[in-house]
Amino acid sequence: MSASSNLLRLQRAINYQGKRAYHDLVTLPSKKPIISQGPPGYSAVTGHVVTVFGCTGFLGRYLVSKLARQGTQVIIPYRDEDEKRHLKPMGDLGQIVPMEWDIRNENQIAECVRHSDIVFNLVGRDYATKSFDFTSVQVDGAERIARVTAQSGVPRFVHVSHLNASATSLSKLYQTKAEGEERVKAVFKEATIIRPGPLYGYEDKLLNNIAIWPIWWKLNDAKTMTRPVHVMDVAQVLANLVHSPQQGRTIALPGPSTLTYEYLLDLVSSLTYQPPSRAPAVPKAVALAVAKAAQAVWWPLLSPDEVIRRYINDADTPGDWDVVGVTPSEIEQHAIQYVRRYRSAENFSRPNIFPPRPIAEEEVGLGF
Ligand SMILES: NC(=O)c1ccc[n+]([C@@H]2O[C@H](COP(=O)([O-])OP(=O)(O)OC[C@H]3O[C@@H](n4cnc5c(N)ncnc54)[C@H](OP(=O)(O)O)[C@@H]3O)[C@@H](O)[C@H]2O)c1
């Protein structure tokens, strides 16, 4: 064999990305060893198998995408055939595994978690339907998923709750989120509870809704305080948890700044070049009556619980971002990406104008 071909072999051996090293061997909390292979990206294998309940939702799609890019095999439980189709091309062949499920069917839940070493529960609803009220999804459903996961011997469970989860909240959504957390912890002691603030991103119900229905964000004279957080930051936190030991704690993920709805209305109006809404602030009783009447139709419209939530400041809990190794980004960094579509054609590429940030609440003595 010539010296040049030997040199080429040596060079290939050095450059070979797929070779395994000692650090590729990971021992899961269940003591099961797994071996990763290849560089991160398409065709990589981390050796982890993850189930994401609620994968078909807003946060779910970004989590599945991040997990798939790492080379993790993802089980995606779905209810509607069409709702999971966009997730399939996020990974290599066989990496994204759809499985039909019903939140009331324990056998199907057990099938979905059978081979996983970590299970995420992102299932939640911000409005009640005829078939599922808040309790059946966020309390009974959450408990059932956690219990079956524990019984199946899966070592790690991550439950996504809400920053404002509180047993004493006036909102049924926040109340059931708090109750759900307790029921999950009762059946899966080491569960990690994630409490994100209101999420913004392409499919959000925050910036999009403000752009379309500014009138409903003027409730409470738009003085309600909110701590919006980028959906990508929360998805990154969840994806990082796959590689960290079970946290067994509650992790609050509020956005980095506390803002008012008034500021968000100004932000969306400035970025979209739409004139600020001149609609008056609707009194609470009227808004509740309208929301109640809107429940007569079969598609989701403003619900009475949503009206109540518009009057509740986001919890003043400190963020646990340092624990999870992610720095949350400010809403101004990303907002244009999500609201540019509301600009008219002639304004589409005009420069971004930001309204002045309100003075920090401690300076004006607001607090919660
Ligand atoms: N979005 C926010 O601003 C925000 C803020 C804080 C916390 N969270 C929490 O974060 C989690 C994810 O939020 P998201 O915005 O991604 O929610 P989302 O877009 O509404 O998605 C909810 C997910 O839950 C599933 N789901 C709802 N009801 C179900 C039921 N009865 N049976 C089975 N699956 C059901 C949905 O499945 P289908 O597609 O089949 O309907 C979907 O996959 C939720 O727990 C939410 O409460 C959200």
Side-chain angles (χ1 to χ4, degrees):
M1 200 175 285
S2 73
S4 66
S5 68
N6 272 342
L7 197 66
L8 193 64
R9 280 177 146 220
L10 183 68
Q11 199 181 356
R12 281 202 185 136
I14 291 168
N15 289 341
Y16 179 46
Q17 298 283 308
K19 68 176 184 252
R20 290 182 185 156
Y22 187 65
H23 63 256
D24 292 327
L25 179 66
V26 177
T27 309
L28 298 174
S30 59
K31 305 279 182 272
K32 183 182 148 202
I34 55 168
I35 297 177
S36 67
Q37 191 180 309
Y42 219 66
S43 298
V45 177
T46 61
H48 289 282
V49 182
V50 173
T51 305
V52 182
F53 290 103
C55 57
T56 49
F58 170 38
L59 176 59
R61 70 169 61 206
Y62 297 108
L63 174 59
V64 173
S65 162
K66 283 182 186 291
L67 293 173
R69 281 172 68 141
Q70 292 171 354
T72 293
Q73 190 172 36
V74 196
I75 314 297
I76 52 163
Y78 68 93
R79 296 193 291 176
D80 183 329
E81 189 69 33
D82 287 342
E83 293 298 324
K84 52 94 169 118
R85 284 166 51 163
H86 60 288
L87 302 173
K88 190 80 175 128
M90 289 179 179
D92 210 344
L93 272 182
Q95 202 187 339
I96 308 288
V97 185
M99 292 185 78
E100 196 170 357
W101 82 304
D102 182 327
I103 199 168
R104 295 161 292 202
N105 187 325
E106 296 195 3
N107 291 336
Q108 284 180 333
I109 298 175
E111 282 300 311
C112 291
V113 303
R114 182 189 289 262
H115 300 288
S116 299
D117 57 88
I118 178 164
V119 170
F120 289 92
N121 177 23
L122 274 53
V123 173
R125 256 295 168 261
D126 55 1
Y127 57 90
T129 62
K130 278 184 188 156
S131 311
F132 294 98
D133 59 11
F134 286 120
T135 304
S136 60
V137 175
Q138 287 169 176
V139 183
D140 302 336
E143 187 208 6
R144 194 173 300 121
I145 296 170
R147 179 166 37 78
V148 174
T149 302
Q151 285 165 354
S152 305
V154 180
R156 294 182 294 168
F157 185 73
V158 179
H159 174 71
V160 178
S161 180
H162 198 291
L163 179 67
N164 300 334
S166 160
T168 55
S169 177
L170 294 175
S171 153
K172 194 75 186 152
L173 182 139
Y174 298 154
Q175 258 179 46
T176 50
K177 278 288 187 190
E179 209 182 321
E181 286 183 11
E182 291 312 311
R183 295 266 289 269
V184 164
K185 283 190 276 184
V187 292
F188 203 117
K189 278 196 182 51
E190 287 300 297
T192 302
I193 308 288
I194 304 290
R195 287 181 163 191
L199 303 173
Y200 63 88
Y202 271 118
E203 303 83 3
D204 72 16
K205 289 181 182 164
L206 186 68
L207 297 176
N208 285 301
N209 206 283
I210 290 176
I212 299 168
W213 290 105
I215 184 170
W216 296 122
W217 294 86
K218 291 188 166 187
L219 299 178
N220 199 20
D221 291 325
K223 297 287 180 248
T224 306
M225 310 291 263
T226 184
R227 304 172 80 191
V229 59
H230 194 204
V231 66
M232 290 296 192
D233 293 335
V234 176
Q236 191 59 54
V237 168
L238 298 178
N240 289 355
L241 289 179
V242 173
H243 305 285
S244 57
Q246 178 74 355
Q247 299 269 355
R249 55 169 291 178
T250 299
I251 297 172
L253 300 177
S257 298
T258 303
L259 306 164
T260 56
Y261 288 156
E262 189 175 24
Y263 176 72
L264 293 185
L265 281 160
D266 286 348
L267 181 70
V268 172
S269 148
S270 304
L271 288 177
T272 56
Y273 283 86
Q274 300 286 350
S277 158
R278 295 228 195 106
V282 178
K284 190 174 182 180
V286 176
L288 279 171
V290 171
K292 219 168 175 182
Q295 301 316 295
V297 298
W298 55 92
W299 61 91
L301 289 175
L302 183 80
S303 71
D305 196 71
E306 207 173 334
V307 172
I308 292 167
R309 295 200 296 272
R310 293 281 154 84
Y311 288 79
I312 301 176
N313 291 330
D314 280 347
D316 195 15
T317 322
D320 295 311
W321 293 95
D322 48 334
V323 178
V324 286
V326 174
T327 308
S329 37
E330 295 287 354
I331 195 164
E332 291 87 346
Q333 284 172 258
H334 304 285
I336 184 61
Q337 201 181 337
Y338 306 127
V339 298
R340 190 186 291 277
R341 60 184 135 171
Y342 297 104
R343 287 185 176 191
S344 60
E346 64 269 25
N347 292 330
F348 202 75
S349 45
R350 286 178 70 182
N352 305 330
I353 299 165
F354 295 96
R357 267 273 183 125
I359 307 161
E361 65 269 17
E362 59 270 17
E363 284 176 45
V364 289
L366 275 175
F368 292 95

